[in-house]
Every structure is written in structure tokens, then in C-alpha cells.
């Protein structure tokens, strides 16, 4: 296993799937092997690609609210690691952003995760991260998020916090009424 500094340097100069990235490679992640919470997301959008800061957008504002974390806490790599399933902006298709590039997780994910030896909670956002991180598969994102009562305090499936998901949130009020308060208290226990 590479030392984490060498691994991160290799990630940051990665060009494995550059032929498929219309805006070119720019891996956006936050990582320190001391992190206690992992945010396993999908892929950066254009705004995050331009800023280079993960979740520096409306999705991030909502996610921090769900977690009860300040921006300073969220962006403390000693507390929170942020690893999308694809580290670079995959571009945009007819119905929104393209899925995370499939080359990324096989190239980097297992080795990065092996360095997270203090991890106490994994927040799994969207179906690609669910497919990778959940111990079993569900028929839909909604079914996976509903599984929070199955008792995995260390793994919490979440819907995507994007404003594009407002309809889902309106249709599933139990999420913000019941799951989010429990999530906040679990996160507070882990980060304090
Ligand atoms: S998406 Fe992942 S595999 Fe592709 S260039 Fe970026 S870091 Fe490399």
C-alpha cells in the first residue's frame, strides 16, 4: 500500500479517463486518514469542477444542514473525508450531469478507503455510491434510504441533496421529519 501522501499525489495527477472528460481531469476530493465521517457521493458538478471545492454549491448547503455541520467542520479533513464515486466532473448529458466515470472507483477507491482507519460513519449518496458501499442492494434509492431503520448506524444511505431532488423530498417527507434528526444526533456523537 502506498503512503497516503504518495497516493493522493497520484490521484491528483490522474488522467486515466481524460479522453472522456470534456472539461478535462480535475479530481475534487477531501481526504485525511484521520477522518471519522466519509461522504461517499456521486461526482462533481460543473460549479464544483470550477471551484475545486467539494459540495461548494446548493447541494452542499443542504447536505451540511442535514448533517448539522458548519462549513468549518465539514471542510475539516480530519473530521470529514469526501470521496465521490468519480473524482472529476463527467460532463453534462440530455438529462443532467453524466454518471461518475466507471474507471475511477476501480482505480482508486479501495486503496483510499484502506487508509481511513478512524472511520465511524459513511454517508452514502446516490445509487452509484449505494451500489459500492451498501452491504446489500435495493430496488431503488428510495428503498435504500428507507432501510436506515435496518440498523446500520455506521452506514447511512441518503438521497442526493441537489435542488433537482426537491420533488423526491416533497414526496418523502419522512426523510426530513424522521431520518434527518437521527442523522444529526449520530453525526454530532461522531465528530464531537
Ligand atoms: S475521474 Fe477518476 S479516473 Fe478519471 S481522470 Fe478523474 S481521477 Fe482519474
Amino acid at each position: 500500500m502506498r503512503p497516503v501522501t504518495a497516493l493522493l499525489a497520484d490521484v491528483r495527477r490522474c488522467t486515466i479517463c481524460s479522453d472522456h472528460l470534456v472539461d478535462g481531469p480535475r479530481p475534487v476530493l477531501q481526504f485525511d486518514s484521520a477522518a471519522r465521517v466519509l461522504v461517499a457521493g456521486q461526482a462533481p458538478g460543473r460549479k464544483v469542477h470550477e471551484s475545486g471545492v467539494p459540495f461548494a454549491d446548493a447541494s452542499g448547503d443542504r447536505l451540511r444542514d442535514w448533517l448539522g455541520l458548519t462549513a468549518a467542520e465539514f471542510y475539516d479533513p480530519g473530521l470529514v473525508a469526501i470521496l465521490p464515486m468519480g473524482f472529476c466532473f463527467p460532463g453534462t448529458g440530455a438529462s443532467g450531469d453524466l454518471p461518475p466515470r466507471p474507471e475511477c472507483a476501480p482505480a482508486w477507491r479501495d486503496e483510499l478507503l484502506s487508509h481511513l482507519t478512524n472511520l465511524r460513519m459513511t454517508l452514502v449518496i446516490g445509487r452509484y455510491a449505494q451500489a459500492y458501499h451498501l452491504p446489500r442492494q435495493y430496488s431503488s434509492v428510495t428503498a435504500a434510504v428507507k432501510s436506515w431503520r435496518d440498523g446500520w448506524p455506521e452506514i447511512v444511505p441518503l438521497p442526493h441533496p441537489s435542488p433537482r431532488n426537491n420533488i423526491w423530498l416533497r414526496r418523502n417527507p419522512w426523510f426530513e421529519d424522521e431520518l434527518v434528526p437521527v442523522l444529526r444526533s449520530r453525526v454530532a456523537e461522531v465528530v464531537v
Side-chain angles (χ1 to χ4, degrees):
M1 189 164 73
R2 280 167 280 195
V4 71
T5 49
L7 174 58
L8 288 171
D10 287 346
V11 170
R12 294 196 187 284
R13 57 176 169 251
C14 177
T15 59
I16 288 173
C17 68
S18 58
D19 289 351
H20 301 279
L21 301 171
V22 290
D23 290 69
R26 187 181 194 189
V28 180
L29 60 151
Q30 173 171 299
F31 193 86
D32 186 298
S33 50
R36 288 175 247 164
V37 176
L38 169 65
V39 176
Q42 185 147 301
R46 179 172 298 285
K47 193 171 175 190
V48 168
H49 170 78
E50 289 168 356
S51 71
V53 180
F55 286 102
D57 55 12
S59 297
D61 291 339
R62 178 178 272 160
L63 178 60
R64 286 182 284 278
D65 179 58
W66 286 348
L67 304 181
L69 293 178
T70 65
E73 291 165 334
F74 186 79
Y75 289 117
D76 177 351
L79 289 179
V80 179
I82 303 172
L83 295 179
M85 294 304 295
F87 296 149
C88 300
F89 173 49
T92 306
S95 56
D97 287 353
L98 294 171
R101 286 302 313 171
E103 299 88 344
C104 200
W108 302 114
R109 202 160 190 83
D110 284 353
E111 192 173 354
L112 283 163
L113 293 178
S114 71
H115 284 277
L116 292 175
T117 51
N118 285 331
L119 201 59
R120 293 176 56 193
M121 174 179 267
T122 299
L123 307 169
V124 185
I125 299 174
R127 66 187 175 99
Y128 298 97
Q130 288 176 0
Y132 186 96
H133 285 276
L134 295 187
R136 55 163 287 202
Q137 300 306 307
Y138 291 87
S139 57
S140 67
V141 169
T142 304
V145 177
K146 280 185 172 172
S147 76
W148 71 285
R149 290 188 191 278
D150 291 357
W152 306 323
E154 73 284 5
I155 304 178
V156 183
L158 296 176
H160 201 285
S162 165
R164 289 175 184 268
N165 233 2
N166 285 348
I167 292 173
W168 187 94
L169 291 168
R170 277 199 294 275
R171 285 180 181 157
N172 295 278
W174 53 269
F175 172 74
E176 291 188 308
D177 292 346
E178 299 173 38
L179 195 158
V180 166
V182 174
L183 176 64
R184 282 191 189 132
S185 63
R186 284 188 192 165
V187 170
E189 287 169 14
V190 167
V191 302
V192 170

